[in-house]
Amino acid sequence: MTSGFAIAFPPMPAPRRPHALYRSALLALLFMSASTALTAAPADRPPAGTDVDQTRTVAQWQQPAADCLAVAFEGVTVRLDRQALARQAAARPARWRTEAERLALIEADRAAALLSAAADATDAHGCAQRVEAPLGAAAQAVVLAALENGNAAVYVKEAAEPVPAVAIRYLGSRCGPTCGRGHIMVSVPGAQAPFLVQEWWVA
């Protein structure tokens, strides 16, 4: 015996297609990659933990970003893109599961450290904020990475024009399995001493 009533079930939601999930994940990864491109350390640094003495000449911007942040060292001012730093800080993942997400978290925290150290102070080149050295380790790592990637405008004292390039020296000495140290030093042309020295590795 059959009933004259039919039970109507609500339609099942359509599952998200695999390619849609892949596209979402890819877009998130691309956003993080773009955000870290300006301030992440370059992948072609010499290997850490080895004897090395290598100097590279890295071209820099010939005019500062429209919205810039000035980092003042002794006799040298490095001007960075403040909006790029803000995007970097905003790209911080809530948690990380992959190596790309872990690196994005580190770079976001570093950018945030530099931004938080800045004070409002308009300079001759229109930078709205300024940071005075010495910097904390995280903030200085951002400046160093920007210089290594050629993403800064570098001025000597109050010069009207930036220098065309900086010299970046990778110096490491390995004296045993648990003995050794490396530093990265940045100088402007003709300078007798670097304006930025960053500890690179310790054995």
Side-chain angles (χ1 to χ4, degrees), residues 25-184:
L26 180 60
L27 288 173
L29 180 60
L30 288 174
F31 177 74
M32 286 191 298
S33 299
S35 299
T36 59
L38 293 179
T39 57
D44 63 344
R45 275 183 181 176
T50 63
D51 287 320
V52 63
D53 188 355
Q54 182 183 127
T55 300
R56 300 175 180 176
T57 299
V58 182
Q60 303 294 322
W61 293 340
Q62 288 309 285
Q63 63 180 24
D67 183 5
C68 58
L69 182 149
V71 184
F73 296 89
E74 186 174 356
V76 174
T77 300
V78 178
R79 292 178 168 89
L80 306 177
D81 186 334
R82 195 167 69 93
Q83 290 188 9
L85 292 170
R87 289 193 299 270
Q88 174 82 35
R92 186 185 194 277
R95 56 183 180 275
W96 64 273
R97 299 186 182 88
T98 66
E99 180 65 7
E101 291 172 337
R102 186 185 72 84
L103 294 175
L105 188 148
I106 292 172
E107 299 303 330
D109 286 347
R110 287 176 173 175
L114 181 58
L115 289 169
S116 66
D120 293 340
T122 303
D123 70 2
H125 294 275
C127 292
Q129 291 187 315
R130 183 179 179 88
V131 182
E132 298 281 347
L135 306 177
Q140 181 160 291
V142 175
V143 180
L144 174 61
L147 291 164
E148 288 182 284
N149 287 298
N151 292 322
V154 181
Y155 293 77
V156 177
K157 296 183 178 178
E158 298 303 321
E161 300 295 330
V163 298
V166 298
I168 301 179
R169 184 183 184 189
Y170 301 89
L171 180 63
S173 177
R174 190 63 182 260
C175 47
T178 58
C179 174
R181 187 179 297 269
H183 292 86
I184 302 175

